[in-house]
Amino acid sequence: MNADWSETVAARARVHAALGDPARLSIVDRLALSDASPGELGQELGLPTNLFAHHVKILHEAGVVERGRSEGDRRRTYLRLLPGSLDGLLPTPLRQAPRVVFVCTHNSARSQLAAALWQQRSHVPVTSAGTVPAQRINPRAAEVARRHGLNLDTATTTHLRDVLQPDDLVVAVCDSAHEQLGDRERLHWSIPDPVSAGTDAAFERAFTDITSRVDRLAPAVCPPGVSHARDLPTHRPERGPANSPC
């Protein structure tokens, strides 16, 4: 038996074993579209702290989840699914929203890239905004967009208060913005800030992370009143995911 093949099978078996518990599967389902702090997730699922930590340890050892420290409030940590760890295994919970708003602090990189990718992959309208918007798009964000066939040359930064509407689906793509949004319902993507690193590699990593998350979320969001692909116009965005129900 080929050693590499054996390792792959063993790794897959660990993932399946880790998911073979209702509590752990609930944790993974909750993290499918949004990152969460251990405290809020354990409380939401009604799990005692020690039992929740046990389940997270098993998922971590199986290579399914990881924990990262908040870039905003350094006392907080967030759990997230590791990219690609559950390709093809996750459910697609349907949400309806008239528009998606990607939010980060300065609206100069992560939220702009997410919105540009979303336009390619979904029929649902999209915009982006910042809680403390910068004066312009970060040049490295524009560069990484161009390398991947996106255009941010005419994009401008906007304050969240100037665009947010009551029914928008808000996706915070940085820890600081998430922690500033109060009780507003939202999804959270704990994506490290590429601007603070200031390297092309950091922007590529952020782009890859955002791409995998957009591809996971886009099939789960439809315009109001739409519940199936047959209800949509025949035109589809370029490079949209083939398995999207929306």
Side-chain angles (χ1 to χ4, degrees):
M1 183 181 291
N2 182 279
D4 290 340
W5 183 83
S6 296
E7 268 187 37
T8 301
V9 170
R12 288 173 55 212
R14 285 194 296 273
V15 171
H16 282 281
L19 298 178
D21 178 276
R24 292 195 289 274
L25 193 56
S26 296
I27 291 171
V28 169
D29 283 351
R30 172 63 172 77
L31 295 176
L33 302 181
S34 178
D35 301 342
S37 70
E40 65 189 7
L41 185 50
Q43 184 176 21
E44 181 180 325
L45 298 177
L47 294 172
T49 302
N50 59 340
L51 183 56
F52 180 79
H54 166 71
H55 289 310
V56 169
K57 181 175 183 287
I58 291 174
L59 291 169
H60 175 73
E61 290 174 346
V64 176
V65 304
E66 66 178 356
R67 187 192 302 257
R69 190 164 297 281
S70 167
E71 292 185 336
D73 183 346
R74 300 293 294 174
R75 296 167 297 179
R76 295 170 65 96
T77 61
Y78 294 110
L79 294 170
R80 55 171 283 174
L81 287 182
L82 280 165
S85 62
L86 298 174
D87 285 351
L89 296 179
L90 288 174
T92 305
L94 182 66
R95 298 185 64 134
Q96 293 187 337
R99 187 175 65 164
V100 173
V101 182
F102 290 102
V103 182
C104 64
T105 306
H106 299 306
N107 190 215
S108 65
R110 289 165 287 184
S111 55
Q112 296 282 354
L113 291 169
L117 281 162
W118 185 268
Q119 282 186 310
Q120 288 190 331
R121 286 155 164 78
S122 176
H123 287 281
V124 177
V126 66
T127 191
S128 68
T131 54
V132 187
Q135 291 186 341
R136 63 188 181 107
I137 305 297
N138 186 281
R140 278 200 165 97
E143 288 173 11
V144 74
R146 280 193 292 271
R147 286 198 295 272
H148 293 276
L150 302 174
N151 188 344
L152 295 183
D153 292 344
T154 60
T156 57
T157 61
T158 309
H159 198 288
L160 180 61
R161 65 169 174 260
D162 296 329
V163 301
L164 188 62
Q165 298 173 7
D167 294 333
D168 287 336
L169 172 59
V170 174
V171 183
V173 296
C174 81
D175 297 335
S176 294
H178 169 63
E179 291 159 13
Q180 293 167 8
L181 287 174
D183 295 332
R184 168 84 196 207
E185 183 182 355
R186 59 194 176 279
L187 303 179
H188 174 216
W189 297 352
S190 183
I191 300 170
D193 183 12
V195 176
S196 62
T199 64
D200 290 342
F203 277 86
E204 284 291 345
R205 285 193 297 272
F207 184 87
T208 299
D209 193 353
I210 292 167
T211 300
S212 69
R213 291 170 180 270
V214 167
D215 285 344
R216 232 164 39 218
L217 180 62
V221 181
C222 288
V226 174
S227 59
H228 195 278
R230 64 173 175 265
D231 300 322
L232 290 165
T234 55
H235 169 72
R236 291 193 53 78
E238 292 183 6
R239 297 173 59 192
N243 63 344
S244 172
C246 305

